[in-house]
Amino acid sequence: MSATTADLAGMTRQFLSFTLANEAYAIDIVTVREIIQPSAMTPVPLMPDFMRGVINLRGAVVPVIDLQARFGRGPASTSKKTCIVIVDTVREGERVELGLMVDAVSEVISLDPAQIEPAPQFGGATRRDFIAGMGKRGERFVVLLDPERAFDIGEMAALCEASQLALAA
């Protein structure tokens, strides 16, 4: 179920905020499992640019998505502040762990319903359907991502298949 402004009515929610290319983003804290430092990543052949590879997280294979590349901005460079945010997603009723590579994690923020505006109707550096809303933090906005759309495993798997077919042709 995707988060809408109506879903957010009536309660303060917490979000993990992070940066990508000096822009502020956040995801609902309930989807976040943990935050780790980048470790040895195994590249997976014939994957699209946004698929950085997989990591071994306590014996589990976890795919790592480069969010900058996922949002169509090209691969991110890594720095001392680069983190991988481990989130829980659902595919065909089954829980799947996914790593999101971000430039830096900022903080956990609390937003009241009055601080959340609907997604803009046009433009922006991120696909509109990836955005659940815009969180007001003083004079600035934080892009609130919709995990079910932005990290849709089915869509990303289809993009991986298309990438493999294009390379095989």
Side-chain angles (χ1 to χ4, degrees):
M1 179 180 300
S2 96
T4 65
T5 305
D7 294 334
L8 302 174
M11 66 177 146
T12 298
R13 306 233 346 239
Q14 291 189 313
F15 297 86
L16 177 69
S17 65
F18 55 89
T19 57
L20 288 175
N22 296 319
E23 293 180 24
Y25 290 87
I27 54 175
D28 194 318
I29 198 78
V30 299
T31 63
V32 176
R33 233 173 129 173
E34 64 185 292
I35 301 163
I36 62 172
Q37 293 297 312
S39 59
M41 212 173 300
T42 304
V44 180
L46 305 176
M47 291 290 133
D49 289 343
F50 67 79
M51 177 68 178
R52 275 292 177 111
V54 295
I55 58 172
N56 179 347
L57 185 64
R58 291 182 291 286
V61 175
V62 177
V64 176
I65 304 303
D66 179 338
L67 277 189
Q68 275 194 187
R70 171 76 172 131
F71 295 161
R73 299 181 184 167
S77 57
T78 57
S79 73
K80 290 184 205 176
K81 294 183 178 183
T82 300
C83 294
I84 296 175
V85 178
I86 306 296
V87 297
D88 283 330
T89 59
V90 177
R91 181 177 187 198
E92 299 170 2
E94 190 175 318
R95 186 182 68 80
V96 177
E97 288 180 326
L98 185 65
L100 309 175
M101 192 172 88
V102 301
D103 291 346
V105 169
S106 302
E107 62 183 323
V108 174
I109 58 174
S110 295
L111 296 173
D112 293 323
Q115 294 174 287
I116 300 173
E117 298 290 329
Q121 296 298 316
F122 58 87
T126 305
R127 274 182 31 189
R128 187 177 180 286
D129 62 323
F130 288 177
I131 301 173
M134 302 296 292
K136 290 189 279 184
R137 301 268 302 156
E139 296 297 314
R140 300 184 56 116
F141 282 100
V142 175
V143 178
L144 304 177
L145 295 175
D146 181 343
E148 290 188 16
R149 294 183 186 263
F151 320 132
D152 182 331
I153 300 291
E155 179 186 342
M156 288 190 285
L159 289 171
C160 290
E161 282 182 32
S163 177
Q164 290 173 350
L165 292 173
L167 289 171

